[in-house]
Structures are given as C-alpha cells and as structure tokens.
Amino acid sequence: MEADSIIEEVPLDEGRNMTNSKFYLPHRPVVKMSSLSTKIRPVFDASAYGPNTISLNDCMETGPNLLPLLSDVLMRFRRHKVALCSDIEKAFLQISVRPEDRDVHRFFWQIDNIVRDMRITLSRLETKQVHFS
C-alpha cells in the first residue's frame, strides 16, 4: 500500500503539530488464506466514535450509490439468449483524500516491531464488475 502511494508516513514534525484536527482510525486484519494475492488485509472502522461522539463517517460527504441494484442486474441477465460474465480482478474506484483532510485518516502501523504513524492518501473502494450484454 505504501509503495502504491495509498498511504504515507506522517513526517515527525507534522506528527507533533497540534494545530490540525487528528483522528486515528481503528483497524483490524482480515485473514483469507485462500487468496492468491493478499492473504492479510487491513479493514478500517470509520464508523467508530471518537471522544466527541462523532465518527469519521459522520463527517464525510456521501455521494450517490454507484452499485447497481441486484434486481436490475438479474433482469438484464434474463433479457438475452446469451449471457457473458467476467470477473475483472483488481478493479476499483480511486478517490484521492485532500491533503488538508489526511490527518483525520491516520492510523498506527506496526512493521518489524516498529510502530509507524501513517495516514491514508488515496481510498480504494474495491468493486467487482460484471457486464451483461
């Protein structure tokens, strides 16, 4: 994730700066040993409440739901004689987090017994796309 510029380490001088709002996202690992590419991936809990009883999800602006309704997908599937189905691996929507908002997307990451102060710079919302014709 760090090599893909999805996350970055917070520089030491910015880590001690108390002028900006900060929020540390709780996260946990999800282990899927059957996966070929990513056996362990972090899942962040942006609905966790901070000390002021507000979560990060409460503060984020939401947009339209981009996922199609299952009933619409099924109706398109039944419309034609031949159905084509595909699974596009690693297809995702990328959303950049504004630099002034990155401090409320922080988390601690431990690698080789060293705890690092990290923040999210780019959100990857994984989607599986299936096209029917």
Side-chain angles (χ1 to χ4, degrees), residues 22 49 61 79 81 85 102 118:
K22 294 176 183 58
Y49 292 104
E61 183 176 339
R79 188 177 300 157
K81 289 183 179 182
C85 180
R102 292 179 182 171
M118 308 295 284

Side-chain angles (χ1 to χ4, degrees), residues 22-28 43-48 55-57 102-108 118-120:
K22 294 176 183 58
F23 183 75
Y24 285 85
L25 289 165
H27 60 287
R28 62 182 177 82
V43 174
F44 295 94
D45 185 6
S47 63
S55 72
L56 182 60
N57 281 349
R102 292 179 182 171
D103 283 330
V104 295
H105 293 83
R106 286 188 179 195
F107 61 97
F108 292 114
M118 308 295 284
R119 61 184 168 199
I120 298 173

Side-chain angles (χ1 to χ4, degrees), residues 11-96:
L12 287 177
D13 58 336
E14 286 185 39
R16 296 187 183 120
N17 182 2
M18 298 306 289
T19 58
N20 295 344
S21 297
K22 294 176 183 58
F23 183 75
Y24 285 85
L25 289 165
H27 60 287
R28 62 182 177 82
V30 171
V31 180
K32 187 176 180 183
M33 296 310 288
S34 62
S35 176
L36 297 176
S37 61
T38 308
K39 300 206 180 297
I40 301 173
R41 65 181 174 87
V43 174
F44 295 94
D45 185 6
S47 63
Y49 292 104
N52 57 359
T53 67
I54 296 175
S55 72
L56 182 60
N57 281 349
D58 293 336
C59 300
M60 301 297 291
E61 183 176 339
T62 59
N65 185 356
L66 300 176
L67 297 175
L69 295 174
L70 183 58
S71 58
D72 293 345
V73 173
L74 291 173
M75 292 304 289
R76 283 195 306 272
F77 183 80
R78 295 178 55 104
R79 188 177 300 157
H80 303 285
K81 289 183 179 182
V82 177
L84 299 176
C85 180
S86 65
D87 183 11
I88 302 173
E89 189 175 337
K90 303 285 182 186
F92 47 82
L93 175 67
Q94 293 185 351
I95 301 169
S96 179

